Amino acid sequence: MGKRKTQRKNAAILDSDDDNCSVSSSSTMRSDRMSVAATEEVEFNKDSLLDEAVDALYEKRGSTREKALAVIIEAFNSNLQHQFVEKKFATLLHQCLNSIKKGSSKEISLASHTIGLLALTVGPGDSAREILEESIIPLSQAFKSGSESSKIASLLECLAIITFVGGTDPEETEKSMQIMWQLVHPKLGSNVVAVKPSAAVISAVVSAWSFLLTTMDGWRLSPKLWQESITYLSSLLDKDDRSVRIAAGEGLAVIFEMGSWEKFAAEAKGSTDGSVLEGNKSKEGFSYIQGLKGKILNQVRDLSVEAGGKGSAKKNLNSQRNLFKDVLEFLEDGYSPETSMKIGGDALQTSSWSQLIQLNFLRRFLSGGFTKHMQENEFLQDIFGFTPNKRNLMGGEHISNGEKRMYKSPNSVINKARTQQLNKQRMLSAGRNIGHYAVNGGDEDS
């Protein structure tokens, strides 16, 4: 497949006020020293707060654990917590898994997100494999414990991320993809009634499934699986919910890019050397596939020019049109979409559907922490071939605008936790002073 010759004009550009957007070259030695000192103070406070947050995960009150998880997530988004993870990796993982097993939907969502951040922080290796191995059963069980969309979406993101980082064997990735697929295609027993998944769950399943599909060799998967997945994704293009259509369009784009359609068609065409009955079956299968491809082309063409309906969100409509214009161009001419994104003044570029879908998924998952991770997370840099410019101030680390906002804003989770910590220290200090004055007073009276 080829690449598009020109980039779309509305290529994604991050807000220039985001983390580490620039460093002034006119900084004086004095301001450099102040920055280093501020960094050291922030690091000290942050480590102390993280330790307290992990300790709070042992508390019985669910709301306390939820607040602690929010503190941990904000800290992991603001910086890569390598030193903290070296000390508390096992503790944090197992406490998060406990939250998934027994917590509320909100706690399960927070704990799932924390485990995903932990996997991205440690990167590929033994620790990431341990996360995947230890988490796969609790996550699978949590999918069955309730159908709340936000919780299911968080669990799906977690499963996708930890498999993406820690799944070194294709069978492990296939297993995670099957767990996801069963949420929309459950294997039913004689006494089980299917529960229709919501649009939000369908969209989350297809997005997570497509994200993992980008890491697979399409020629490993069976024709039966391809037929099931392509047929299902095609049916989703007719759904009313635009997020479902967009997710399905991305999934189909990956399948076509991997060359899996050609394999699917070749397998279905089969051999004409067998019996007449087998030959007729192969012709029927091949005809079905050719008809399905024509149907998908028509669906994609229609969605690329769809007019806005009453009450429809214009933003989603434009996103849908742009996506399906790209898919149509890819299917008809073989050109993959090329995008460029600014990260701290450096360009991160994608030139394939797989890269674009990986980038979009990771951006959604990391949210406000995406820029920081792209600038410092070597695992993500390797995935996208991204090399940021290194910026150092007197050997110290530059404090980003995002980190400044996080520690200065009175409404930030970490600042609230820090205030509680300081108040606690003041109370303890006051108690010691009262005891000191009481003892001294007694000595003077005697």
Side-chain angles (χ1 to χ4, degrees), residues 394-415:
M394 296 292 291
E397 184 181 340
H398 174 64
I399 304 177
S400 68
N401 291 333
E403 286 181 281
K404 290 175 183 176
R405 288 193 295 270
M406 186 177 71
Y407 289 103
K408 289 182 179 180
S409 170
N411 294 321
S412 83
V413 175
I414 284 186
N415 209 31

Side-chain angles (χ1 to χ4, degrees), residues 110-374:
L110 291 167
S112 300
H113 200 80
T114 302
I115 291 175
L117 288 171
L118 181 62
L120 287 174
T121 300
V122 299
D126 292 340
S127 294
R129 280 193 61 80
E130 181 179 346
I131 292 173
L132 179 58
E133 291 170 358
E134 294 289 329
S135 303
I136 194 78
I137 292 177
L139 289 175
S140 299
Q141 293 172 341
F143 283 124
K144 303 172 184 176
S145 66
S147 57
E148 188 174 333
S149 297
S150 60
K151 183 196 81 171
I152 297 297
S154 295
L155 289 168
L156 284 164
E157 286 184 341
C158 177
L159 180 57
I161 293 292
I162 65 175
T163 305
F164 185 73
V165 182
T168 56
D169 194 323
E171 280 76 15
E172 292 172 329
T173 302
E174 283 188 51
K175 181 179 179 180
S176 293
M177 293 173 70
Q178 287 170 2
I179 292 171
M180 296 170 179
W181 201 251
Q182 287 171 12
L183 292 175
V184 290
H185 281 288
K187 294 180 179 178
L188 303 177
S190 57
N191 298 322
V192 180
V193 179
V195 178
K196 186 177 180 180
S198 66
V201 168
I202 293 173
S203 177
V205 166
V206 175
S207 292
W209 184 87
S210 301
F211 175 67
L212 290 183
L213 182 61
T214 64
T215 68
M216 292 291 290
D217 178 1
W219 294 90
R220 286 182 51 87
L221 305 179
S222 69
K224 182 180 178 182
L225 176 61
W226 284 127
Q227 179 171 339
E228 179 182 302
S229 58
I230 293 171
T231 302
Y232 178 66
L233 293 176
S234 173
S235 73
L236 295 183
L237 296 182
D238 293 328
K239 298 296 182 183
D240 293 332
D241 190 276
R242 284 207 180 97
S243 66
V244 170
R245 296 181 206 162
I246 290 172
E250 290 178 339
L252 286 167
V254 174
I255 289 173
F256 280 105
E257 182 177 67
M258 294 171 71
S260 303
W261 185 274
E262 286 77 3
K263 181 201 175 187
F264 182 25
E267 292 281 354
K269 190 173 184 179
S271 171
T272 58
D273 297 333
S275 68
V276 174
L277 180 60
E278 288 175 349
N280 288 336
K281 285 183 178 179
S282 350
K283 289 177 182 177
E284 288 174 6
F286 184 67
S287 297
Y288 169 77
I289 291 164
Q290 292 301 101
L292 181 58
K293 184 174 183 179
K295 177 187 175 184
I296 291 173
L297 271 169
N298 289 331
Q299 289 174 307
V300 168
R301 192 174 288 110
D302 290 343
L303 290 171
S304 69
V305 294
E306 183 190 22
K310 183 178 180 181
S312 62
K314 186 176 180 181
K315 180 180 179 181
N316 287 340
L317 177 60
N318 289 336
S319 297
Q320 175 185 287
R321 286 172 178 164
N322 290 336
L323 170 72
F324 285 101
K325 283 177 183 176
D326 288 340
V327 175
L328 184 62
E329 185 174 2
F330 179 69
L331 294 179
E332 291 184 334
D333 303 322
Y335 292 124
S336 299
E338 295 183 350
T339 65
S340 180
M341 171 185 297
K342 287 290 185 181
I343 300 199
D346 302 308
L348 188 161
Q349 298 176 331
T350 67
S351 57
S352 70
W353 279 108
S354 292
Q355 282 185 322
L356 179 59
I357 286 165
Q358 288 176 0
L359 178 63
N360 287 339
F361 191 91
L362 289 165
R363 279 189 72 188
R364 287 193 299 268
F365 179 78
L366 288 168
S367 188
F370 174 75
T371 298
K372 187 70 173 180
H373 274 261
M374 281 309 310

